[in-house]
Amino acid sequence: MENPSSYDLTGKTVLVNREWRSMSMTEAVQKGRQHVVVVGGRVTGIAMVVQLLATLNEGAGITVIDPHDSRYPSVFYDPEDLVIANTSGHIGSIVAADPTDFLSYLDHHQDPHSVPRHIVGRYADQRLAHHVRRTRARGVAAARIVDTVRSIARRGGTYVLRLGSGRLIDATDVVLAMGAGPRRDVTGITGIGPYPTGRLRSARVREALVVGTGQSAIDAALVLADSGARVTMSSRAGLLPAVRTRTLLNEQGLTLDPRAPTFDLEATLDRFVQAHGHRPLTTMLSAVRDPIDRLGEEITLAESGDIPWQDALVAVALHLSRHAPQSTGNPRFAWRYLTSIMLTTAHRLRNAINDRAVRLVRWTHVAPQQHDLIVVAAGNDRYPITCTSDAMYLGSAPAGAAPWTTLTESLQVQLPGRTQPERVWAVGPTTTVRYSTANFLASAVAQSARIARRIGNAPTQ
Ligand SMILES: Cc1cc2nc3c(=O)[nH]c(=O)nc-3n(C[C@H](O)[C@H](O)[C@H](O)COP(=O)(O)OP(=O)(O)OC[C@H]3O[C@@H](n4cnc5c(N)ncnc54)[C@H](O)[C@@H]3O)c2cc1C
């Protein structure tokens, strides 16, 4: 068994208290020490650790396991300045107890509604290091292992994790913070993913096809166009996201019933705008069908400030990640508005379209063979997670294991045939087995705070 003192969390700070340094994890768990393993060490995993550091008792330990070290350029770590957050700095805090933490971290010259995403990653790393240093005095150990978790098996009241290297790690509690899942393939089209964008810049291609028209497809198109490529974008639905200028938390005028079994975004936004004294929602939305003309009209609406619906989105996202109502209403409307892009990105896209560096074509007109590079940015599939009554398998499954389907309202995994949920939690985009809607970092932070209260001994809310 590994002793966590040989690793560190951020690449800079060694974070293990004296007692843990002299024990292996197995010994510690056998001696009744609480040992929480967080599977996945990017922003959601980091938010989870920050919340756990606030709730775990003296003598407990946290180990983060991720095959990528903290420099891997994933969504919030991509160094590309063109790739900005589609949420405002006002809801970017990874510290649940301090919602303004990210806003106060930002340089005062930085527009909080147009923050390059790598600033969020840098902030998360720095806050992690800060909270670990603070908590070390309380005797909570934290460590990082660069490896992949393959399975989590029950053993008595605790768990044994098998890693890709063959190592076994004992844990009293496990949190799955593995992100959204593998990139979705599109039948008949082979390409690379949109991130890290450095691969797109360095490819120096003339003709690129981007499959997808959502946020990550737009990121890829902007980077490729900026590096001199002519970009064709296309998706089956052919829709671009709507345009917003900010994401703020405003619950006033929202009637979100936690017990309601269904949820209709359009009706909710309509009630919200009218409660704030505006005219009906339908009169303030673009009715144009062509996606490029609609982008232009939605930019004008956003510039004029006539988009009060945007101020309901954060509360709605938090509601959807806390309760799991079935979405009714138009799924295309829900996708366009929940994943709407910031005005800065919308301007960049329209400029690239006007400069003929980016064009949108119908799906039936796409000719993949005419392109030097194909980027597939069509979303993510669920992780192939399976389980038996005694174990979970992350990736390849043994015969007899069934797809994982049950996450309780307390965000705990329930194994088939068992009545009690496990001390295995899921957080952030990994909760799609229960919460199918777009996941903001703010939702992941709120979920991580709930989980940390359950795992630690802090009083529950
Ligand atoms: C293009 C895009 C833009 C987004 N922009 C925003 C935004 O602006 N604002 C916002 O609030 N939200 C945004 N989101 C939503 C969400 O907040 C982000 O997806 C966020 O980066 C998710 O972070 P994560 O840590 O959950 O997942 P990831 O960054 O995907 O990290 C998951 C980690 O888990 C590890 N892992 C997976 N399986 C295993 C295993 N078996 N063992 C060990 N480790 C494992 C992976 O190696 C990976 O490092 C965006 C999402 C996308 C896709």
mmCIF file with all atom_site columns, all heavy atoms in Angstrom, residues 19-30:
data_model
loop_
_atom_site.group_PDB
_atom_site.id
_atom_site.type_symbol
_atom_site.label_atom_id
_atom_site.label_alt_id
_atom_site.label_comp_id
_atom_site.label_asym_id
_atom_site.label_entity_id
_atom_site.label_seq_id
_atom_site.pdbx_PDB_ins_code
_atom_site.Cartn_x
_atom_site.Cartn_y
_atom_site.Cartn_z
_atom_site.occupancy
_atom_site.B_iso_or_equiv
_atom_site.pdbx_formal_charge
_atom_site.auth_seq_id
_atom_site.auth_comp_id
_atom_site.auth_asym_id
_atom_site.auth_atom_id
_atom_site.pdbx_PDB_model_num
ATOM 1  N N   . GLU A 1 19 ? 1.432  12.167 11.606 1.00 0.00 ? 19 GLU A N   1
ATOM 2  C CA  . GLU A 1 19 ? 0.904  10.853 11.950 1.00 0.00 ? 19 GLU A CA  1
ATOM 3  C C   . GLU A 1 19 ? 0.716  9.983  10.707 1.00 0.00 ? 19 GLU A C   1
ATOM 4  O O   . GLU A 1 19 ? 1.097  8.821  10.678 1.00 0.00 ? 19 GLU A O   1
ATOM 5  C CB  . GLU A 1 19 ? -0.424 11.027 12.672 1.00 0.00 ? 19 GLU A CB  1
ATOM 6  C CG  . GLU A 1 19 ? -0.856 9.781  13.375 1.00 0.00 ? 19 GLU A CG  1
ATOM 7  C CD  . GLU A 1 19 ? -2.218 10.004 14.011 1.00 0.00 ? 19 GLU A CD  1
ATOM 8  O OE1 . GLU A 1 19 ? -2.846 11.042 13.769 1.00 0.00 ? 19 GLU A OE1 1
ATOM 9  O OE2 . GLU A 1 19 ? -2.633 9.114  14.736 1.00 0.00 ? 19 GLU A OE2 1
ATOM 10 N N   . TRP A 1 20 ? 0.147  10.579 9.650  1.00 0.00 ? 20 TRP A N   1
ATOM 11 C CA  . TRP A 1 20 ? -0.096 9.812  8.426  1.00 0.00 ? 20 TRP A CA  1
ATOM 12 C C   . TRP A 1 20 ? 1.212  9.414  7.761  1.00 0.00 ? 20 TRP A C   1
ATOM 13 O O   . TRP A 1 20 ? 1.304  8.399  7.101  1.00 0.00 ? 20 TRP A O   1
ATOM 14 C CB  . TRP A 1 20 ? -0.935 10.634 7.432  1.00 0.00 ? 20 TRP A CB  1
ATOM 15 C CG  . TRP A 1 20 ? -2.398 10.465 7.669  1.00 0.00 ? 20 TRP A CG  1
ATOM 16 C CD1 . TRP A 1 20 ? -3.126 11.074 8.627  1.00 0.00 ? 20 TRP A CD1 1
ATOM 17 C CD2 . TRP A 1 20 ? -3.288 9.608  6.960  1.00 0.00 ? 20 TRP A CD2 1
ATOM 18 N NE1 . TRP A 1 20 ? -4.432 10.668 8.558  1.00 0.00 ? 20 TRP A NE1 1
ATOM 19 C CE2 . TRP A 1 20 ? -4.561 9.774  7.526  1.00 0.00 ? 20 TRP A CE2 1
ATOM 20 C CE3 . TRP A 1 20 ? -3.155 8.733  5.885  1.00 0.00 ? 20 TRP A CE3 1
ATOM 21 C CZ2 . TRP A 1 20 ? -5.681 9.093  7.083  1.00 0.00 ? 20 TRP A CZ2 1
ATOM 22 C CZ3 . TRP A 1 20 ? -4.272 8.068  5.429  1.00 0.00 ? 20 TRP A CZ3 1
ATOM 23 C CH2 . TRP A 1 20 ? -5.509 8.240  6.028  1.00 0.00 ? 20 TRP A CH2 1
ATOM 24 N N   . ARG A 1 21 ? 2.233  10.246 7.951  1.00 0.00 ? 21 ARG A N   1
ATOM 25 C CA  . ARG A 1 21 ? 3.504  9.953  7.297  1.00 0.00 ? 21 ARG A CA  1
ATOM 26 C C   . ARG A 1 21 ? 4.058  8.617  7.787  1.00 0.00 ? 21 ARG A C   1
ATOM 27 O O   . ARG A 1 21 ? 4.743  7.908  7.075  1.00 0.00 ? 21 ARG A O   1
ATOM 28 C CB  . ARG A 1 21 ? 4.490  11.089 7.599  1.00 0.00 ? 21 ARG A CB  1
ATOM 29 C CG  . ARG A 1 21 ? 5.564  11.199 6.574  1.00 0.00 ? 21 ARG A CG  1
ATOM 30 C CD  . ARG A 1 21 ? 6.291  12.495 6.716  1.00 0.00 ? 21 ARG A CD  1
ATOM 31 N NE  . ARG A 1 21 ? 5.431  13.626 6.367  1.00 0.00 ? 21 ARG A NE  1
ATOM 32 C CZ  . ARG A 1 21 ? 5.799  14.888 6.425  1.00 0.00 ? 21 ARG A CZ  1
ATOM 33 N NH1 . ARG A 1 21 ? 6.993  15.200 6.835  1.00 0.00 ? 21 ARG A NH1 1
ATOM 34 N NH2 . ARG A 1 21 ? 4.988  15.851 6.090  1.00 0.00 ? 21 ARG A NH2 1
ATOM 35 N N   . SER A 1 22 ? 3.754  8.266  9.030  1.00 0.00 ? 22 SER A N   1
ATOM 36 C CA  . SER A 1 22 ? 4.328  7.039  9.586  1.00 0.00 ? 22 SER A CA  1
ATOM 37 C C   . SER A 1 22 ? 3.425  5.830  9.355  1.00 0.00 ? 22 SER A C   1
ATOM 38 O O   . SER A 1 22 ? 3.731  4.738  9.788  1.00 0.00 ? 22 SER A O   1
ATOM 39 C CB  . SER A 1 22 ? 4.556  7.233  11.090 1.00 0.00 ? 22 SER A CB  1
ATOM 40 O OG  . SER A 1 22 ? 3.304  7.492  11.690 1.00 0.00 ? 22 SER A OG  1
ATOM 41 N N   . MET A 1 23 ? 2.266  5.993  8.654  1.00 0.00 ? 23 MET A N   1
ATOM 42 C CA  . MET A 1 23 ? 1.340  4.867  8.464  1.00 0.00 ? 23 MET A CA  1
ATOM 43 C C   . MET A 1 23 ? 1.068  4.653  6.988  1.00 0.00 ? 23 MET A C   1
ATOM 44 O O   . MET A 1 23 ? 1.118  5.590  6.204  1.00 0.00 ? 23 MET A O   1
ATOM 45 C CB  . MET A 1 23 ? -0.025 5.200  9.085  1.00 0.00 ? 23 MET A CB  1
ATOM 46 C CG  . MET A 1 23 ? -0.098 5.127  10.551 1.00 0.00 ? 23 MET A CG  1
ATOM 47 S SD  . MET A 1 23 ? -1.825 5.327  11.082 1.00 0.00 ? 23 MET A SD  1
ATOM 48 C CE  . MET A 1 23 ? -2.142 7.034  10.760 1.00 0.00 ? 23 MET A CE  1
ATOM 49 N N   . SER A 1 24 ? 0.710  3.435  6.604  1.00 0.00 ? 24 SER A N   1
ATOM 50 C CA  . SER A 1 24 ? 0.164  3.244  5.263  1.00 0.00 ? 24 SER A CA  1
ATOM 51 C C   . SER A 1 24 ? -1.334 3.539  5.344  1.00 0.00 ? 24 SER A C   1
ATOM 52 O O   . SER A 1 24 ? -1.916 3.590  6.430  1.00 0.00 ? 24 SER A O   1
ATOM 53 C CB  . SER A 1 24 ? 0.390  1.816  4.793  1.00 0.00 ? 24 SER A CB  1
ATOM 54 O OG  . SER A 1 24 ? -0.515 0.960  5.463  1.00 0.00 ? 24 SER A OG  1
ATOM 55 N N   . MET A 1 25 ? -1.968 3.702  4.171  1.00 0.00 ? 25 MET A N   1
ATOM 56 C CA  . MET A 1 25 ? -3.411 3.979  4.187  1.00 0.00 ? 25 MET A CA  1
ATOM 57 C C   . MET A 1 25 ? -4.176 2.815  4.806  1.00 0.00 ? 25 MET A C   1
ATOM 58 O O   . MET A 1 25 ? -5.153 3.003  5.502  1.00 0.00 ? 25 MET A O   1
ATOM 59 C CB  . MET A 1 25 ? -3.903 4.212  2.770  1.00 0.00 ? 25 MET A CB  1
ATOM 60 C CG  . MET A 1 25 ? -3.385 5.480  2.189  1.00 0.00 ? 25 MET A CG  1
ATOM 61 S SD  . MET A 1 25 ? -4.023 5.639  0.543  1.00 0.00 ? 25 MET A SD  1
ATOM 62 C CE  . MET A 1 25 ? -2.728 6.583  -0.192 1.00 0.00 ? 25 MET A CE  1
ATOM 63 N N   . THR A 1 26 ? -3.721 1.597  4.525  1.00 0.00 ? 26 THR A N   1
ATOM 64 C CA  . THR A 1 26 ? -4.409 0.420  5.073  1.00 0.00 ? 26 THR A CA  1
ATOM 65 C C   . THR A 1 26 ? -4.364 0.448  6.593  1.00 0.00 ? 26 THR A C   1
ATOM 66 O O   . THR A 1 26 ? -5.383 0.280  7.259  1.00 0.00 ? 26 THR A O   1
ATOM 67 C CB  . THR A 1 26 ? -3.726 -0.869 4.581  1.00 0.00 ? 26 THR A CB  1
ATOM 68 O OG1 . THR A 1 26 ? -3.611 -0.775 3.187  1.00 0.00 ? 26 THR A OG1 1
ATOM 69 C CG2 . THR A 1 26 ? -4.500 -2.097 4.971  1.00 0.00 ? 26 THR A CG2 1
ATOM 70 N N   . GLU A 1 27 ? -3.156 0.696  7.115  1.00 0.00 ? 27 GLU A N   1
ATOM 71 C CA  . GLU A 1 27 ? -3.030 0.758  8.582  1.00 0.00 ? 27 GLU A CA  1
ATOM 72 C C   . GLU A 1 27 ? -3.947 1.831  9.146  1.00 0.00 ? 27 GLU A C   1
ATOM 73 O O   . GLU A 1 27 ? -4.628 1.614  10.140 1.00 0.00 ? 27 GLU A O   1
ATOM 74 C CB  . GLU A 1 27 ? -1.583 1.131  8.955  1.00 0.00 ? 27 GLU A CB  1
ATOM 75 C CG  . GLU A 1 27 ? -0.615 -0.010 8.961  1.00 0.00 ? 27 GLU A CG  1
ATOM 76 C CD  . GLU A 1 27 ? 0.769  0.554  9.249  1.00 0.00 ? 27 GLU A CD  1
ATOM 77 O OE1 . GLU A 1 27 ? 1.280  1.317  8.413  1.00 0.00 ? 27 GLU A OE1 1
ATOM 78 O OE2 . GLU A 1 27 ? 1.306  0.246  10.298 1.00 0.00 ? 27 GLU A OE2 1
ATOM 79 N N   . ALA A 1 28 ? -3.937 2.979  8.460  1.00 0.00 ? 28 ALA A N   1
ATOM 80 C CA  . ALA A 1 28 ? -4.746 4.093  8.962  1.00 0.00 ? 28 ALA A CA  1
ATOM 81 C C   . ALA A 1 28 ? -6.218 3.709  9.000  1.00 0.00 ? 28 ALA A C   1
ATOM 82 O O   . ALA A 1 28 ? -6.910 3.936  9.994  1.00 0.00 ? 28 ALA A O   1
ATOM 83 C CB  . ALA A 1 28 ? -4.535 5.315  8.070  1.00 0.00 ? 28 ALA A CB  1
ATOM 84 N N   . VAL A 1 29 ? -6.707 3.105  7.898  1.00 0.00 ? 29 VAL A N   1
ATOM 85 C CA  . VAL A 1 29 ? -8.127 2.730  7.850  1.00 0.00 ? 29 VAL A CA  1
ATOM 86 C C   . VAL A 1 29 ? -8.394 1.646  8.894  1.00 0.00 ? 29 VAL A C   1
ATOM 87 O O   . VAL A 1 29 ? -9.409 1.682  9.597  1.00 0.00 ? 29 VAL A O   1
ATOM 88 C CB  . VAL A 1 29 ? -8.519 2.285  6.417  1.00 0.00 ? 29 VAL A CB  1
ATOM 89 C CG1 . VAL A 1 29 ? -9.912 1.663  6.397  1.00 0.00 ? 29 VAL A CG1 1
ATOM 90 C CG2 . VAL A 1 29 ? -8.461 3.475  5.460  1.00 0.00 ? 29 VAL A CG2 1
ATOM 91 N N   . GLN A 1 30 ? -7.447 0.692  9.034  1.00 0.00 ? 30 GLN A N   1
ATOM 92 C CA  . GLN A 1 30 ? -7.646 -0.357 10.051 1.00 0.00 ? 30 GLN A CA  1
ATOM 93 C C   . GLN A 1 30 ? -7.683 0.223  11.457 1.00 0.00 ? 30 GLN A C   1
ATOM 94 O O   . GLN A 1 30 ? -8.354 -0.284 12.340 1.00 0.00 ? 30 GLN A O   1
ATOM 95 C CB  . GLN A 1 30 ? -6.546 -1.421 9.939  1.00 0.00 ? 30 GLN A CB  1
ATOM 96 C CG  . GLN A 1 30 ? -6.825 -2.407 8.812  1.00 0.00 ? 30 GLN A CG  1
ATOM 97 C CD  . GLN A 1 30 ? -5.611 -3.264 8.452  1.00 0.00 ? 30 GLN A CD  1
ATOM 98 O OE1 . GLN A 1 30 ? -4.555 -3.134 9.063  1.00 0.00 ? 30 GLN A OE1 1
ATOM 99 N NE2 . GLN A 1 30 ? -5.781 -4.118 7.465  1.00 0.00 ? 30 GLN A NE2 1
#
